[in-house]
Amino acid sequence: MHRTAAPAWLQATPLSAVFALFFLVPLGLILMVSFWDFNEYELQPAFTFKQYAAIFEGCGRLADDGGLCVTLKTYLSTFKFCLLVWLITLGVGFAVSYFLAFHVRSSGMQTALFVLCTIPFWTSNVIRMISWVPLLGRNGLVNQSLVGIGLVEQPVEWLLFSDFSVVLAFVHLYTMFMIVPIFNSMMRIDRSLIEAASDIGASAWQTLWHVIVPLSRTGIIIGSIFVITIVMGDFVTIGVMGGQQIASVGKIIQVQASYLQFPLAAANAVILLALVLMIIWGLTRLVDIRKEL
């Protein structure tokens, strides 16, 4: 018997309800609390910009030492890590994806190597992150090896609890988020286009730059969105690998929430969300992501 399909709005209702309940409602609550006030004992429902003013207090002038205010320094530090991790993961992710897509001929071998890349992600992020500590510590394996072969006289201090260790952990944790979308885009490239470029005399670098990179742009943008959004809000990696000595926006929000300063933490979260959405909006202007999805 012929059955009439349910209206489109009715089919979308369950997913829309889940999206509203677990995404829109929490965001609305965070936005609402960011305009509240608080004291040592309770939250005080109100509509005030006090928390936003407190965040940027003193940022209109230079600090006593001639530097920027704490908030701007923190955001600059977060953007610094974000930029470094994005550049490194983009280079590594593109190289790995290019090798898998164009230099591995067998589809079975491609699958096997791709699964091999995902094996580290079968364990917890915390375990993979902490595994660097015995390697990079003052008495760790790396320092013992460097001292043993005579490259250094004393253990290298900046290998752990430094910007280097934070970036290294970020790259280790999130490179796969760059590999997957770029590899997916490269596998969709028509191989006849590469052959055509070779037939008209294009070198390997010219083919890479003028054919493969433009056609992989959607995957690059999607991977960039994944990496940037995760790094911008991460506070566990910076806390552990930075020895609780390196500031980031996510770390500040976590500390404020732990001290029950929820309106202040919510205001910081709203500002961070706005900045991340602006970055995502700028990236999505470069390509039509819907074609990839």
Side-chain angles (χ1 to χ4, degrees), residues 106-228:
S106 171
S107 59
M109 183 59 66
Q110 282 181 339
T111 303
L113 292 176
F114 186 80
V115 171
L116 185 64
C117 291
T118 66
I119 287 178
F121 293 83
W122 296 357
T123 59
S124 169
N125 277 11
V126 177
I127 295 175
R128 287 186 287 131
M129 176 178 55
I130 294 178
S131 64
W132 286 104
V133 175
L135 290 176
L136 302 178
R138 179 177 176 83
N139 297 317
L141 181 61
V142 174
N143 268 319
Q144 288 181 359
S145 300
L146 293 176
V147 174
I149 61 180
L151 288 180
V152 295
E153 296 181 358
Q154 296 181 349
V156 181
E157 300 288 347
W158 53 263
L159 289 178
L160 187 61
F161 303 144
S162 62
D163 291 358
F164 169 80
S165 61
V166 171
V167 173
L168 179 63
F170 273 141
V171 172
H172 176 214
L173 293 175
Y174 303 134
T175 298
M176 198 63 190
F177 289 95
M178 190 70 79
I179 293 176
V180 173
I182 296 178
F183 176 71
N184 185 45
S185 293
M186 287 184 176
M187 291 301 295
R188 297 186 181 189
I189 297 176
D190 189 350
R191 297 311 190 258
S192 62
L193 296 176
I194 300 176
E195 295 177 0
S198 178
D199 291 340
I200 62 176
S203 64
W205 283 107
Q206 289 174 325
T207 302
L208 175 66
W209 185 251
H210 295 289
V211 179
I212 296 177
V213 170
L215 295 177
S216 303
R217 187 170 57 180
T218 303
I220 293 173
I221 296 300
I222 293 176
S224 299
I225 291 175
F226 284 152
V227 171
I228 290 173

Side-chain angles (χ1 to χ4, degrees), residues 70-91:
V70 175
T71 298
L72 293 182
K73 286 182 179 179
T74 304
Y75 274 91
L76 288 177
S77 174
T78 303
F79 281 122
K80 176 189 69 176
F81 286 120
C82 188
L83 178 61
L84 290 174
V85 174
W86 174 72
L87 288 174
I88 297 173
T89 55
L90 177 59

Side-chain angles (χ1 to χ4, degrees), residues 15-66:
L15 184 59
S16 300
V18 172
F19 178 77
L21 179 62
F22 294 102
F23 185 75
L24 295 181
V25 172
L27 282 181
L29 291 175
I30 292 174
L31 181 62
M32 179 180 66
V33 173
S34 70
F35 292 104
W36 286 9
D37 200 356
F38 69 97
N39 55 31
E40 293 83 356
Y41 309 102
E42 61 180 356
L43 299 179
Q44 300 173 345
F47 185 83
T48 175
F49 290 95
K50 179 180 178 181
Q51 312 309 328
Y52 293 93
I55 291 173
F56 292 103
E57 183 179 2
C59 292
R61 62 182 187 278
L62 294 178
D64 295 336
D65 58 356

